[in-house]
Amino acid sequence: MNNISAYSASGPKARVAPCTIERRPTGPTDIQIAIEHCGVCHTDIHFVNNDWGMTNYPVVPGHEIVGRVTEVGHEVKNFKAGDLAAIGCLVDSCGVCNNCEKGLEQYCLNGFTATYNSASADPGGFTYGGYSTSVVAKESFVLRVPNSLSGPGIAPLLCAGITTYSPLKNWEIGPGQKVGVIGLGGLGHMGIKFSHALGAHTTMITTSEEKGNDARLLGADDVVLSSDPAALAKENGSFDFLLNTIPVNHDLTPYLELLKTNGTMCVVGAVEPLSQVNAAQLIFGRRSLAGSLIGGIAETQEMLDFCGEKNILSEVEVIRMDEINEAYKRMEKSQVKYRFVIDLASLN
Ligand SMILES: NC(=O)c1ccc[n+]([C@@H]2O[C@H](COP(=O)([O-])OP(=O)(O)OC[C@H]3O[C@@H](n4cnc5c(N)ncnc54)[C@H](OP(=O)(O)O)[C@@H]3O)[C@@H](O)[C@H]2O)c1
Ligand SMILES: [Zn+2]
Ligand SMILES: [Zn+2]
């Protein structure tokens, strides 16, 4: 067993603080990675706060992991020591259900193993995430990083990237369509980049006038202020697809009104009951309200390869591990451009 340095939260009111955790030894099909960067997802805050009532403490968050392979098991075929490798939100699934067979491990009918906070045979009984110096995972859940990509902007692709890429691909977004991305945070800024790269007319829908100006630099064709109801209403009936990244319960009414007949709003942000849904808005206009969870392993690799071809990276602010609690406070105020990434060298 390997004891390593990590950061964990011991309860919903606790700050994320230094600790030591144990990692399993590298098994025959495992890869051990020395973590260089880990992105900070809003989901990490939800888990630390137990917002969704499913946190097992102590929780070591972090599911946007990039680092160097330090050891491979003797059955590992596609990685060797020194390779740049990545781990996203999943580290295992049953592998045999209908969804796993289709590469939809995130919808595993027997329950996937998340990178942190999932019951596991690992030391401690639960998986521990990337706020740590190293990680051990099965080869089949480890991603290759294209050679053309480098630096801290890779890490957020592993969650913010795939969570926005997957629905845009599923709903076949491309030229001739009008897409709105709601909320300019970690997910939202990747949604803008992917929607633009796929050739759709892309509109940023944000509460922040100041961030709205940045959205054009990220690839938005136009920006609408959601804090201005009249400006929002001018866009009613004009969108084919909306990607909603707002992290909390909110009134869907003004957003559903933006959809064309047959349009779809995909919610990826608020993983909780949504109180304001008027079915009349769906019925009159055959509109759809949908959801989407991260992406499967093959699709995550496809997304990384797409980023490699198009030179797409996340816009990041690099922090030290001991700056994590301040980073959470700023994220809760929507004050990050556009993803914090922890430099794990600061934990060694
Ligand atoms: N479905 C999945 O698989 C999946 C995967 C990863 C994360 N998530 C969830 O997605 C959500 C977003 O994550 P993130 O990391 O992108 O968060 P984030 O970086 O904090 O960004 C969220 C953005 O939403 C907007 N926003 C925040 N509160 C709002 C409110 N009350 N009303 C309207 N807009 C608001 C803000 O954008 P503006 O300033 O532009 O308005 C903010 O920057 C989280 O709940 C996370 O748990 C889901
Ligand atoms: Zn995430
Ligand atoms: Zn399965």
Side-chain angles (χ1 to χ4, degrees):
M1 300 283 174
N2 305 313
N3 285 320
I4 60 154
S5 301
Y7 261 58
S8 65
S10 57
K13 300 257 187 286
R15 289 163 67 83
V16 184
C19 67
T20 301
I21 57 166
E22 215 170 286
R23 292 289 189 197
R24 68 176 189 246
T26 310
T29 59
D30 282 342
I31 294 182
Q32 183 193 59
I33 297 170
I35 303 175
E36 293 181 351
H37 294 113
C38 182
V40 182
C41 180
H42 208 112
T43 299
D44 301 351
I45 302 179
H46 288 308
F47 268 94
V48 166
N49 292 346
N50 198 21
D51 287 343
W52 301 334
M54 54 166 110
T55 306
N56 301 296
Y57 294 101
V59 57
V60 177
H63 57 205
E64 296 182 335
I65 298 171
V66 177
R68 292 277 163 195
V69 175
T70 39
E71 194 175 57
V72 298
H74 64 267
E75 289 173 28
V76 167
K77 297 197 172 59
N78 298 314
F79 291 86
K80 59 180 186 331
D83 287 351
L84 198 59
I87 295 174
C89 305
L90 304 171
V91 289
D92 212 349
S93 70
C94 84
V96 295
C97 73
N98 279 344
N99 286 345
C100 282
E101 278 185 352
K102 290 184 198 133
L104 298 169
E105 296 88 354
Q106 75 276 36
Y107 305 120
C108 174
L109 298 172
N110 295 306
F112 59 79
T113 306
T115 302
Y116 63 82
N117 200 66
S118 273
S120 137
D122 281 2
F126 292 95
T127 51
Y128 294 133
Y131 294 11
S132 59
T133 51
S134 77
V135 61
V136 176
K138 263 172 125 166
E139 177 183 18
S140 49
F141 284 79
V142 177
L143 289 310
R144 291 181 310 280
V145 177
N147 289 332
S148 56
L149 299 181
S150 63
I154 301 168
L157 302 177
L158 278 302
C159 176
I162 186 60
T163 302
T164 49
Y165 180 87
S166 182
L168 293 170
K169 293 296 281 192
N170 184 61
W171 274 276
E172 300 178 351
I173 297 308
Q177 284 170 308
K178 186 170 168 185
V179 169
V181 178
I182 307 170
L184 184 44
L187 266 55
H189 92 288
M190 292 311 306
I192 292 284
K193 288 191 180 209
F194 286 135
S195 174
H196 174 74
L198 292 168
H201 179 100
T202 306
T203 301
M204 183 69 235
I205 301 169
T206 173
T207 61
S208 160
E209 196 163 0
E210 186 249 326
K211 280 201 268 174
N213 296 329
D214 283 8
R216 288 197 172 79
L217 302 174
L218 297 168
D221 297 288
D222 46 40
V223 177
V224 178
L225 269 187
S226 53
S227 43
D228 177 350
L232 200 59
K234 268 196 204 147
E235 302 286 323
N236 282 353
S238 71
F239 286 89
D240 296 283
F241 187 76
L242 293 167
L243 189 63
N244 182 338
T245 78
I246 298 174
V248 288
N249 177 25
H250 58 282
D251 184 1
L252 297 184
T253 314
Y255 300 113
L256 285 173
E257 217 44 58
L258 298 174
L259 291 172
K260 283 180 184 168
T261 307
N262 270 337
T264 297
M265 175 155 74
C266 179
V267 173
V268 290
V271 188
E272 60 187 60
L274 293 171
S275 46
Q276 301 276 348
V277 185
N278 181 348
Q281 280 187 294
L282 305 176
I283 292 166
F284 291 89
R286 200 162 64 192
R287 295 167 171 138
S288 301
L289 178 60
S292 182
L293 179 66
I294 46 175
I297 296 301
E299 193 175 44
T300 305
Q301 189 63 60
E302 176 191 308
M303 178 273 311
L304 285 171
D305 295 344
F306 181 79
C307 290
E309 276 162 37
K310 306 262 177 190
N311 205 19
I312 293 175
L313 286 167
S314 176
E315 307 300 317
V316 303
E317 183 175 335
V318 178
I319 57 167
R320 295 191 316 269
M321 188 69 255
D322 62 9
E323 292 175 311
I324 188 67
N325 294 291
E326 288 310 308
Y328 281 2
K329 278 191 203 140
R330 278 182 50 200
M331 283 171 76
E332 280 171 332
K333 290 188 231 152
S334 301
Q335 286 171 358
V336 50
K337 290 182 174 177
Y338 282 93
R339 196 61 141 187
F340 288 116
V341 169
I342 304 159
D343 177 357
L344 269 308
S346 65
L347 189 54
N348 279 316

